[in-house]
Amino acid sequence: MNSNQAGNQIIPVGNLVKIKTPTVTPSIFDGKGDIEEFIRDYNLACSLNQWPDLFKINYLSLYLKGPAKILHDNEIRSKAINTWAEVENILRKFYVPVGNNDRLEYEMLTRKQFPTETSEEYCQAKINLINKYDPNMGEDRKVKLLLYGLLPDLIAKIVCMGSNNTIEELRQNIRKTDLANYMVNVRVKGFERHAIEPQAPVVLPNHVNAIYE
């Protein structure tokens, strides 16, 4: 028995059961955004949709508009480009900005932790910039860049904590420091309010609880 009813998630086909997955719609590129981000997202959508390279090439124009669509007509469709690698190269040739590598390096080196930003938010943002600039950067270099971008009081504490040889070791030390700062703040603020109001139970953040698990 074959079945393919719209809206069903499980579709029996003969003696097999196939899971119906949604079609993922790629984002639209108009020539003004980050071409690397568009290529990455388009490749991911095509992979999830199980589109072969021929489909990726033929469907691409549907997800381009403005100058990018004109470029596609002039440089891809009219020249009958038939490999996805060639298509990616053409898109990068025209849409990676001049001096892009220098810009990425500058953003990576100058990215510091903001006073209102959590340590984990900073680490994720910094790692993202590092990977954009140099996906093959060595672990020791990544650790130094992450460490030197932290808030000054965190740096002073973390460098005294021993091993920071890997990103995971550094992040573990950051979590320990965050926990220590949290406990100090709770203690100080608790004493300040003790005489005028009862203290509510302290709920530790998730990353603090994780240290004890």
Side-chain angles (χ1 to χ4, degrees):
M1 178 183 70
N2 294 334
S3 174
N4 190 16
Q5 297 180 2
N8 289 344
Q9 293 301 310
I10 299 179
I11 308 174
V13 179
N15 294 324
L16 301 176
V17 174
K18 292 186 177 180
I19 305 300
K20 184 178 180 181
T21 57
T23 299
V24 179
T25 302
S27 57
I28 302 295
F29 182 69
D30 61 1
K32 298 178 182 178
D34 185 333
I35 187 60
E36 292 294 347
E37 183 175 327
F38 170 75
I39 291 174
R40 184 189 67 235
D41 291 348
Y42 186 78
N43 280 332
L44 175 60
C46 292
S47 175
L48 293 173
N49 292 334
Q50 299 182 11
W51 293 349
D53 280 3
L54 181 60
F55 284 23
K56 291 168 70 173
I57 295 170
N58 290 338
Y59 290 163
L60 176 62
S61 65
L62 300 176
Y63 303 101
L64 301 174
K65 68 177 184 179
K69 195 173 186 67
I70 295 173
L71 171 73
H72 179 275
D73 291 342
N74 293 341
E75 302 294 333
I76 298 174
R77 188 193 303 277
S78 66
K79 297 180 181 179
I81 302 299
N82 58 12
T83 70
W84 179 246
E86 289 182 272
V87 172
E88 285 192 0
N89 288 336
I90 290 171
L91 292 174
R92 289 190 174 99
K93 176 182 176 181
F94 285 92
Y95 286 114
V96 171
V98 174
N100 185 63
N101 207 49
D102 290 338
R103 177 184 63 82
L104 290 175
E105 182 181 26
Y106 176 80
E107 290 180 358
M108 176 193 68
L109 293 175
T110 58
R111 179 61 162 93
K112 310 295 183 184
Q113 183 181 3
F114 303 123
T116 57
E117 185 178 40
T118 68
S119 301
E120 187 58 34
E121 288 171 342
Y122 157 74
C123 286
Q124 293 295 341
K126 186 82 167 187
I127 290 171
N128 182 259
L129 289 173
I130 290 172
N131 289 336
K132 283 184 177 180
Y133 173 69
D134 182 6
N136 301 313
M137 182 181 292
E139 186 86 353
D140 56 340
R141 174 68 171 157
K142 290 181 180 180
V143 169
K144 288 181 180 178
L145 289 170
L146 278 170
L147 180 60
Y148 295 154
L150 290 167
L151 294 173
D153 63 322
L154 279 177
I155 297 176
K157 295 173 183 177
I158 290 170
V159 294
C160 299
M161 295 180 67
S163 179
N164 287 301
N165 297 320
T166 67
I167 291 177
E168 186 52 40
E169 288 176 349
L170 174 62
R171 290 167 79 173
Q172 184 65 19
N173 286 336
I174 291 173
R175 293 186 189 104
K176 291 177 181 178
T177 305
D178 284 343
L179 171 61
N181 289 338
Y182 174 82
M183 294 179 71
V184 168
N185 288 335
V186 168
R187 180 72 176 270
V188 171
K189 292 179 180 178
F191 276 124
E192 289 175 350
R193 297 196 304 263
H194 182 71
I196 58 175
E197 63 180 5
Q199 298 300 298
V202 175
V203 179
L204 296 179
N206 290 335
H207 74 274
V208 174
N209 286 325
I211 294 176
Y212 292 103
E213 294 177 353

